[in-house]
Every structure is written in C-alpha cells, then in structure tokens.
Amino acid sequence: MTDTPPFTESDSAALRQRLFWALGGLLGVVVLGLLVFVLSLRTELDQAAERGASDLELASDRLTTGLQRYRELAVFLSDHPTVLAVALEAEPDVQATAATSDLLQSMADKTGAHSLLLVAGDGRVLASAGEAGLPTGAQLALSRAMDGALGVAHFVDLEGRRRYVFAAPVFEPNGPAQAAVVVNVDIGLLEWGWPTEASAIYFTDSYGVVFISNRSELVLRGGSSGQMPVTARHRVMGHEIWRHEAGPYIPSPALHVIQTLPVIGLEGELLRDLRPVLSAAALQAGMASALGLVFAAFVFFATERRRTLAEANARLEARVAARTEALELANRDLQHEVRERQEAEARLKRAQADLVQAGKLSALGEMSAGISHELNQPLMAIRSFAENAQAFLERGQPEKAADNLGRISELARRMGRIIKNLRAFARQEPETITDVELTAVVEAALEMTQAKMTNAGVTLVWSPAGQVWVRGGEVRLQQVVMNLLSNAVDAVKDAPEKRIEITLLLASAPDMPTRFTISDTGPGISEPEKIFDPFYTTKEVGASEGMGLGLSISYGLVQSFGGRIRGENRAEGGAQFTIELQPAANKEGANAAN
C-alpha cells in the first residue's frame, strides 16, 4: 500500500489559479456569446428590413397597378364617342342609352370592375353596368369630378363591401363637366388574386383604418373602427418592433415597415416575423459560445498538459534521434529505388522506340514485293524510252527523242520520290512534336501502299483537301496511316465490295480537333473494346501479316501527339477508324482558307 503525498501550500495555490482561469474563461465565453448575438441580431434585422421593404414595395406596386388600371378605364370612357352621345344630350334617346350601357357592361366584363356608371351632374344615372344606382360614399368622388378633376374615393357600402371609386369628368366641348364616368372596384375581389405572403401586409387610409390587407382579420381595424391590438412597440437598433394579439396568423413579435403611397392615398405597412431572425442570431451566438468554450477548454487542458509534455520531451528527443537515423537509412534506400525505377523507365522508353522502329521495318518488309514492283516498272520503262530515244536520234527525229527523254526524267523523279518516302519512313524520328502537313503524310503513305491496294483490287476514295496542318511527328504519323491502310486492305481482300474511303474534316473552331477517318467495306470489328490491346488480332495465329501490335503502336503514337484514335463499326457495314489531331496554331488561317 502506497502513502498519499500530503497536500502542500503550492498545490493549494495551483488549484486557486486553475479555478481563477476557469471562471475567467467562462465569463469570456458569456461575453463573446452576447457580443455575437448583438452583432448577428443587428445584421439579421437589417437584412429582414431590406427584405420586408422589398416585399412591401412589390405589394404596393401590385395594388397601385391594379387600381391604376381602373383609373385609366374611367379616363378612357370619359372621351368615348358613345358615352359623349348620352352625357352631352339633355334628352338622350333610348338606343344611345342602351348602346352606352352595353359598352359599360363590355368594359366591366373585360376589366373585372364591379360596376360602371355614367352619372349626370345632378346625380341621375344615365347608363350603368353591374348596379343601377350610385353607391353610397361615391358622392365625394362625383363632386370632385363635376369640378373638372379626377375624383377618387374609398368607403364601405351598406352591405359591408369595401369599394374604391374613380370618377372621370365628361366635358362638353370647350365647356364645363356635364357628367362623370364612375368606375367602382370591389377591393375584396382585387385581394383574392394576390399571392400568399409570409408577412402580414396591409394598407391604411388617412384615419389609420386598415382598408386593404392580405390578412382578413386585420381588415377595417385601426382608427375609430377599433384600435390595432398592439401590446408593445420598441425601437431596436433603428428598427420598429411590434408585439400584438391580432391572431395566430399575424406574426408576433414582428418587424414593422412603412411605405407611403400618395398615388392611391394609402399607406402601406408590413409586419415581418422576427422569430427566424431571433433564432438565427441565437444560433450564431450559441455556435460562437460553443467554439469559445471549446477554445477555452483547449487552452486550459493545453496548459495542464504542458508540464507533462515538458517531462516527456527529453525522452521523446532521444527516441526522435534514433528514429531520424532509421529514416535517413530508409531515405537512402528509397533514393536508390527511385534511381532504379528511373533507369527501368528509360529502358522501357528505349524498348518502346525500338518496338515502333521494328513495326516500321516490319511494314517495309511486308511491302517490299510491291515496292520492288513499283521501282522495277519505271526502270523497265526508262530502258525502253532510252532505246527509243537513241533510235529517234539515229533517224534524225530529235523532237521525239526529247519527248522520250522527258518521260525518262518524270519516271526518275517518281522513283526518287518513292525512295525518299521509304528513307524517311525507315529513319528513327526524334520524339518531338512539330507542325505536320497531313495531306502530304497521307499521300506519302498511299504511295508506299499503292502496290498492295492494286494487287488486292481495292478501290480508293480520297479527295485531298489542300494543305491541312496539325501537331505531330511526320514519320510517326505516316506509320499510323500506313498501319490503318494496311489493315483496311487486309480486311476487304475477301469482301464482295473492296473499297477504302479516306475523309478529312477540318477543325470548325480553334479549340476543336481535326478529324481524319479511314473506313472500309470489310466484315467489321468483332470486339471494338479490345482492338488497341497489345497482341490482340483477328488474323490467323502465325499469319505473316503481324502479331497484333500495329494498332497498339498506333494508339501510343497518336496519344503522344496529344490526339485520340478510336475504332468502331459502321451502320452500313465495315469498320471505321477516326484520328483526332490538334490543329497547328500558326496554320489555323491556312486550314480555314482550305
């Protein structure tokens, strides 16, 4: 059994110090939470006020626009010839009155007005649509209209419906107003089409009475009709906050926003729910307090652990020194392994280059018989033309001899071109990417495979498109084209129709590739997803045509140019290989011109 060490004075001082820092940390967390709550509340209130003002402005524009439509209707009808025919006659006939009533009814149906009336200066209704008599409360608007101005009034009729009235004067020519067109709007019908709003929006008149609202429980509240059930008003950070008991669908506490609407004689007000604002501010304050508490706890425990860490530091330094020595040894081993991998990668690249060169030499060996025929035929023709030229010279016919010599020169140029293409194809090209003229590459490949195509009886469809410049390697790209052409000839040798088609599609935009396709009428590709795998071939095992490396090499060469190659079966039969190459940047204009 071990004895417990005695509690010393230094231990007591350390405990008091820990309690002091703990209480200080808690107080700091509380102050931080309150500060964040106040700042967040100010920000959220400002944003809520901006959104509330925007919502109120939209609702005010909607109401103003809706009422302005009826105001313009009253002004329009006051100048209508049909209305003037009745309003300016002392005794209008029955037909004119009926026509005016029909016009008013048509306008009421089209605009949704509750009623339209043509009223004389003494209050007689000359024509009407919707109701026969002048509504109670519209006399003020009619009186103003008879004074020559546009009369506006709003009131509650005897049936309890809210009305908004426009009265436009009807003037006699160069004279005073003789009658007025009264447009009566049912506010309840106007409210019915409003969209649902989360906030309570209402419009009060000069007496403080709520005349229009998107909440039915607020209608006709305020003023002498009954005070708004507001229990408290506060000014918080420049914003007015209301608490009230207006019903479960009226937000409380709420942010109160006001906007004056002098055009329609009302004042727009909005009550926006503050509970989301308070929740957001409290959430941010809680998160800040939690982070502060975590930070304070971290600092406290970090301080407590510092002493323990200091004691363990000496032991750790010794272990680190030993571990560092082991890591240095491992690092040297790793560097040695990296060098070995780099050397292996270099050997792999050399092997790949040798494989590409072997593929080219294999293709040359495969074409050797055809190329020998291509060279032997011009040589025999040169010998014949030379003998003929000698005979013509002996006969004294220098013109014919010169013609034969010209043919000999052309055949020599042809042989030189074939030999030049063979030498270029056989040489080891450096792995640099330059600007290459694609049409010349295709023509050179065709010259070297022409004999094989002729022996196989293949029909070639190829229309050169002028100079087309792309990015690549001339010899390597020529090898790709020769591989594809050779495969196409092998594919169609037993087909009923032996045709190979070469097409070239220029880049339509600077960031689009140039597409080059070779298609045949052969049996197609049995497994398109495997055609670029090394040693995959559809030819007989041990056949002299190859070992299945041509397409794999072509795939690697096109990839080295930054291009793409794909093979697929055509819908009409046969295979098609598409090569996409990047156009040469400094030759884009030439390509576009071609």
Side-chain angles (χ1 to χ4, degrees):
M1 182 175 179
T2 59
D3 294 334
T4 303
F7 191 76
T8 62
E9 184 65 24
S10 60
D11 294 333
S12 176
L15 179 61
R16 288 195 299 270
Q17 187 178 14
R18 293 191 190 95
L19 291 176
F20 172 78
W21 284 112
L23 292 176
L26 290 176
L27 180 61
V29 169
V30 172
V31 172
L32 175 64
L34 291 176
L35 179 61
V36 171
F37 178 80
V38 171
L39 295 177
S40 301
L41 181 62
R42 178 185 296 276
T43 303
E44 294 292 334
L45 278 176
D46 292 340
Q47 294 178 355
E50 292 178 1
R51 291 192 290 267
S54 177
D55 294 343
L56 180 58
E57 184 176 0
L58 288 175
S60 302
D61 291 342
R62 183 168 56 243
L63 174 62
T64 303
T65 302
L67 293 177
Q68 287 292 96
R69 177 178 58 184
Y70 298 105
R71 174 180 178 176
E72 294 171 357
L73 175 62
V75 175
F76 168 74
L77 290 176
S78 66
D79 292 332
H80 199 281
T82 304
V83 174
L84 294 175
V86 175
L88 302 181
E89 293 293 335
E91 295 294 337
D93 55 28
V94 176
Q95 292 182 349
T97 302
T100 303
S101 297
D102 291 341
L103 174 63
L104 296 180
Q105 185 63 53
S106 174
M107 292 296 157
D109 294 339
K110 293 178 179 178
T111 61
H114 182 267
S115 64
L116 292 172
L117 299 95
L118 177 61
V119 184
D122 55 4
R124 289 181 298 110
V125 177
L126 303 177
S128 65
E131 57 185 351
L134 186 68
T136 303
Q139 289 81 2
L140 179 62
L142 177 62
S143 175
R144 182 169 176 79
M146 297 312 299
D147 290 338
L150 179 67
V152 180
H154 62 275
F155 54 89
V156 181
D157 61 13
L158 298 177
E159 298 177 357
R161 290 180 297 189
R162 290 163 292 151
R163 304 287 189 92
Y164 204 100
V165 173
F166 292 101
V170 180
F171 297 97
E172 66 178 15
N174 301 321
Q178 296 297 317
V181 175
V182 179
V183 178
N184 184 9
V185 183
D186 188 343
I187 294 300
L189 296 177
L190 188 65
E191 289 175 340
W192 185 260
W194 284 6
T196 303
E197 297 279 355
S199 302
I201 300 175
Y202 56 94
F203 299 88
T204 59
D205 57 15
S206 58
Y207 299 102
V209 178
V210 178
F211 193 69
I212 305 173
S213 177
N214 63 350
R215 298 289 193 276
S216 59
E217 54 265 45
L218 293 180
V219 174
L220 301 182
R221 302 289 294 270
S224 59
S225 301
Q227 294 295 326
M228 290 286 289
V230 179
T231 58
R233 292 181 173 90
H234 303 285
R235 198 75 181 174
V236 178
M237 299 177 182
H239 303 284
E240 189 175 7
I241 308 300
W242 282 13
R243 290 186 177 272
H244 53 78
E245 298 176 355
Y249 301 107
I250 310 300
S252 179
L255 177 66
H256 183 231
V257 182
I258 301 176
Q259 181 179 359
T260 304
L261 306 175
V263 175
I264 58 176
L266 299 175
E267 186 174 61
E269 300 183 45
L270 176 140
L271 294 175
R272 187 175 186 87
D273 194 358
L274 279 185
R275 285 174 294 183
V277 172
L278 296 174
S279 299
L283 178 62
Q284 295 183 33
M287 292 178 62
S289 299
L291 291 175
L293 185 60
V294 170
F295 179 75
F298 173 77
V299 172
F300 178 79
F301 286 110
T303 304
E304 287 296 311
R305 288 179 58 86
R306 181 181 299 175
R307 183 180 64 257
T308 305
L309 292 175
E311 294 175 356
N313 186 49
R315 296 191 299 270
L316 181 60
E317 286 181 354
R319 296 176 60 185
V320 166
R323 185 61 178 168
T324 301
E325 184 178 358
L327 287 175
E328 289 177 352
L329 293 175
N331 186 36
R332 286 195 293 269
D333 294 339
L334 182 60
Q335 290 177 354
H336 179 69
E337 183 179 353
V338 168
R339 284 194 297 269
E340 290 181 346
R341 290 182 179 272
Q342 289 175 345
E343 293 173 357
E345 184 179 359
R347 289 194 297 270
L348 177 60
K349 288 184 178 180
R350 288 194 297 270
Q352 289 175 341
D354 293 341
L355 184 60
V356 171
Q357 187 67 14
K360 292 194 291 185
L361 296 178
S362 176
L364 286 176
E366 183 182 345
M367 296 184 299
S368 59
I371 293 173
S372 298
H373 177 73
E374 287 292 317
L375 293 176
N376 187 51
Q377 197 175 34
L379 283 173
M380 294 179 64
I382 288 173
R383 178 180 178 182
S384 177
F385 284 135
E387 292 175 352
N388 290 341
Q390 184 178 4
F392 285 133
L393 288 174
E394 292 175 354
R395 297 175 188 173
Q397 296 177 338
E399 295 84 2
K400 293 185 178 181
D403 181 59
N404 279 268
L405 291 175
R407 294 185 181 183
I408 292 174
S409 177
E410 179 60 32
L411 290 172
R413 280 197 296 269
R414 177 185 171 188
M415 293 174 61
R417 189 168 61 250
I418 294 175
I419 294 173
K420 177 183 177 182
N421 290 335
L422 288 173
R423 291 174 60 189
F425 182 73
R427 75 173 184 264
Q428 188 78 17
E429 184 187 36
E431 295 186 1
T432 56
I433 298 178
T434 59
D435 293 344
V436 178
E437 206 284 290
L438 184 57
T439 304
V441 169
V442 176
E443 292 289 350
L446 288 175
E447 282 187 350
M448 288 186 284
T449 55
Q450 185 62 45
K452 186 174 182 178
M453 291 185 185
T454 303
N455 294 334
V458 175
T459 301
L460 177 66
V461 180
W462 158 242
S463 298
Q467 289 189 340
V468 178
W469 293 88
V470 296
R471 296 289 292 170
E474 182 176 2
V475 177
R476 287 174 287 164
L477 186 57
Q478 190 179 101
Q479 181 178 0
V480 172
V481 178
M482 285 187 59
N483 284 340
L484 296 180
L485 287 174
S486 180
N487 288 344
V489 173
D490 292 338
V492 302
K493 64 181 180 181
D494 296 326
E497 181 186 5
K498 302 177 181 180
R499 180 167 56 86
I500 298 176
E501 183 176 352
I502 304 175
T503 58
L504 185 60
L505 180 62
L506 300 180
S508 57
D511 57 343
M512 296 295 291
T514 297
R515 289 184 175 87
F516 170 71
T517 63
I518 298 178
S519 55
D520 59 61
T521 56
I525 307 171
S526 59
E527 296 177 295
E529 69 279 1
K530 295 183 178 180
I531 56 175
F532 296 113
D533 293 346
F535 304 107
Y536 173 79
T537 179
T538 58
K539 301 170 185 177
E540 297 181 1
V541 177
S544 61
E545 286 84 352
M547 297 167 48
L549 290 174
L551 288 179
S552 177
I553 293 173
S554 299
Y555 183 85
L557 292 177
V558 174
Q559 289 283 335
S560 68
F561 304 151
R564 294 177 54 194
I565 181 173
R566 64 178 183 273
E568 57 191 352
N569 290 317
R570 300 194 303 169
E572 62 271 22
Q576 176 175 293
F577 286 85
T578 302
I579 302 174
E580 296 181 356
L581 298 170
Q582 295 299 321
N586 56 346
K587 301 294 194 306
E588 289 179 2
N591 289 348
N594 292 329

